[in-house]
Amino acid sequence: MAELMPAASTLPDLWLDWCAVTGTPADQHDQSTLELFRRQACPSRALRHSLEPRAGKPAAPAWPFHLRPGDTALTRIIRGGSSHIGNPDVDWISRLRLRRLLFAAVLIAPASLGGLGLDRRGIRSLTPDGLLDLRPRIGRADDQAACPACAAWSWLEILGTNSGWSRGSVRALGRAFDGPTDGVHRHELADPRPEWLDWPDQANLLPSIDRWGYLDPYASMHPSSLSNLIRTMVATAGAPVVERQQTEPNPAPPVRHISQEEEAAILRRADELNARIARLLDEFS
């Protein structure tokens, strides 16, 4: 029987950080790689032992081992994230990141919870065509605020908007809440922005988001960033959910337009002020 590696979700942070720095695949556990890791990172004996190949154990997906596979962790993550998205005090960039978090949770959660059960490599190599085949397997829930398929639908709307529309459209979508759908789940509706399918072979369904809200159009997020995202899922699953009445943000006040008469008066006052300043400069020069 072929030797299998430890599950990516159980890999220690020191190993993941070392792999990110050295460019080593996290599932590369051959003896020469482990020896180099031992010399450079000085891990404990227990940590080294946890990385050694083990035979006879099935490979596990990237789902955090802190979350039991038989509980309701995925719906708790989605419901908690949806609650934060509905918080008017949360900025639009954080809302984008929350939607990405929920989508990532759907990708790695076990099929028994409604997810796709992908590992880390599967997440980063997933293409639109690949997701198109897997999407029917995503679970559904009666509560739209905890529905895996709806969480995926919402993130794909952002990806499609980022692919074929302006950044202003992405910002507007990030600022918006999930509006009412008259009892119909969002995933039952057609994709409003199917442009996420425009690059069928490009593995970029989980891009990085910078501090200004720009989504990387070329590649999926770095493995170390994905590790942070998975750790955040654990915290989200354990956090209490605050039920909120989702309402749209207050509309921006209307822009006041200046009439031609007002503009002429403003310019006249400005000319008078400039002339006064010029006289004062002449007087004290």
Side-chain angles (χ1 to χ4, degrees), residues 176-198:
F177 299 139
D178 293 329
T181 54
D182 297 327
V184 178
H185 278 225
R186 295 190 299 278
H187 73 261
E188 297 174 341
L189 306 174
D191 286 339
R193 297 289 182 265
E195 290 88 344
W196 66 273
L197 286 163
D198 284 350

Side-chain angles (χ1 to χ4, degrees), residues 6 15 18 55 57 64 80 123 126 133 148 155 159 169 190 194:
W15 168 256
W18 181 82
K57 293 190 176 182
I123 292 172
L126 184 63
D133 293 336
W155 176 246
L159 287 182
S169 299

Side-chain angles (χ1 to χ4, degrees), residues 86-242:
N87 184 350
D89 296 329
V90 174
D91 63 274
W92 68 274
I93 298 176
S94 296
R95 286 197 181 120
L96 291 182
R97 290 174 174 154
L98 281 167
R99 294 194 188 280
R100 182 187 60 182
L101 171 76
L102 302 187
F103 178 70
V106 171
L107 293 183
I108 68 173
S112 60
L113 300 185
L116 294 178
L118 299 181
D119 58 19
R120 292 168 186 256
R121 177 176 292 181
I123 292 172
R124 300 187 69 250
S125 62
L126 184 63
T127 63
D129 265 0
L131 180 61
L132 194 61
D133 293 336
L134 294 174
R135 194 174 180 185
R137 303 182 190 177
I138 298 175
R140 276 71 171 152
D142 293 336
D143 181 5
Q144 187 169 171
C147 179
C150 288
W153 186 96
S154 295
W155 176 246
L156 294 178
E157 182 181 13
I158 291 172
L159 287 182
T161 303
N162 188 64
S163 296
W165 297 70
S166 67
R167 180 172 179 271
S169 299
V170 176
R171 182 170 60 247
L173 191 57
R175 286 175 172 167
F177 299 139
D178 293 329
T181 54
D182 297 327
V184 178
H185 278 225
R186 295 190 299 278
H187 73 261
E188 297 174 341
L189 306 174
D191 286 339
R193 297 289 182 265
E195 290 88 344
W196 66 273
L197 286 163
D198 284 350
W199 292 276
D201 299 323
Q202 182 171 322
N204 187 27
L205 295 179
L206 211 63
S208 61
I209 303 174
D210 68 16
R211 70 182 68 182
W212 298 281
Y214 284 96
L215 279 68
D216 187 343
Y218 303 111
S220 286
M221 62 196 312
H222 192 274
S224 61
S225 300
L226 180 57
S227 298
N228 291 333
L229 201 65
I230 293 174
R231 284 192 286 269
T232 304
M233 293 177 195
V234 178
T236 304
V241 177
V242 179

Side-chain angles (χ1 to χ4, degrees), residues 39-55:
R39 295 199 307 269
Q40 293 182 344
C42 300
S44 65
R45 179 176 299 180
L47 192 154
R48 296 200 309 271
H49 177 71
S50 70
L51 294 172
E52 293 175 355
R54 299 186 296 273

